[in-house]
Amino acid sequence: MTGATESTPGRVVAVVPVVNAANALTALRLVLVPVFAASVIMSGMTHAGWRMAACLIFAVASATDLVDGWIARRFGLVTSVGKVADPIADKALTGAALVLLSWYDQLPWWVTALILVRELGITGLRFWVIRHGVIAASRGGKVKTALQILAIAWYLWPMPAALATVGPWIMAAAVLVTVATGFDYIAQALRL
């Protein structure tokens, strides 16, 4: 022994570039929000062609949420920017859709208010407890998101009268799951 101490090599942390495929999809979703809103406004919720365009833009923007998360996790492209921008893009898209649907009397304002208060409250709660740990999206949260997307798309698409009556039932399920998962996230935050 020479008296020298062995040092264990430190953990190598890969630097993930901010400009990557996952963040590009999140940015695309943010860019699509005003395009989507303009399409709804152009439709006045009466012009079938513009309603279909708005629905398709909403569907594409919603799909980017699924794909960007998968890409980020699969290829190790998770960034601090993405962690902040992704929920902002989600809330901007959903919020714009709900407010516009209520504005055009397609959806009661109390539904929009309830969902937006829950969404913004839970997002704020997640950021508030992040120093103690991450509140990961639960299976219920994913069901909530899917139901909200389906309900909004159902309202946007110019459905025949018989099928249009299904929309409020889908939205009711979305509201129930939204509220239930909100309480679940609050419980998780308290445990952290």
Side-chain angles (χ1 to χ4, degrees), residues 45 51 100-108 155:
M45 290 305 287
R51 284 181 70 178
L100 287 166
L101 287 172
S102 291
W103 183 264
Y104 287 106
D105 294 323
Q106 303 295 308
L107 186 65
Y155 277 96

Side-chain angles (χ1 to χ4, degrees), residues 109-119 175-176 178-179:
W109 277 105
W110 70 265
V111 171
T112 295
L114 180 68
I115 292 174
L116 291 182
V117 165
R118 183 272 189 206
E119 294 294 337
V175 168
L176 288 174
T178 297
V179 171

Side-chain angles (χ1 to χ4, degrees), residues 8 10 19 46 56 70 82 99 106 115 120-121 135 142 156 164 188:
T8 55
V19 179
T46 58
L56 292 174
W70 179 82
V99 167
Q106 303 295 308
I115 292 174
L120 296 173
I135 301 175
K142 292 175 183 178
L156 289 170
Q188 287 183 54

Side-chain angles (χ1 to χ4, degrees), residues 65-142:
D65 185 27
L66 296 172
V67 177
D68 71 1
W70 179 82
I71 288 172
R73 288 184 300 277
R74 174 74 171 88
F75 298 103
L77 298 176
V78 176
T79 65
S80 295
V81 170
K83 287 179 185 177
V84 172
D86 186 66
I88 290 171
D90 296 344
K91 298 333 173 225
L93 180 64
T94 303
L98 293 170
V99 167
L100 287 166
L101 287 172
S102 291
W103 183 264
Y104 287 106
D105 294 323
Q106 303 295 308
L107 186 65
W109 277 105
W110 70 265
V111 171
T112 295
L114 180 68
I115 292 174
L116 291 182
V117 165
R118 183 272 189 206
E119 294 294 337
L120 296 173
I122 296 304
T123 299
L125 183 67
R126 283 177 147 166
F127 287 130
W128 183 61
V129 301
I130 203 160
R131 66 179 178 258
H132 302 292
V134 175
I135 301 175
S138 66
R139 187 168 285 142
K142 292 175 183 178

Side-chain angles (χ1 to χ4, degrees), residues 125 182-192:
L125 183 67
F183 285 119
D184 180 52
Y185 285 127
I186 291 169
Q188 287 183 54
L190 292 174
R191 282 194 295 271
L192 284 176

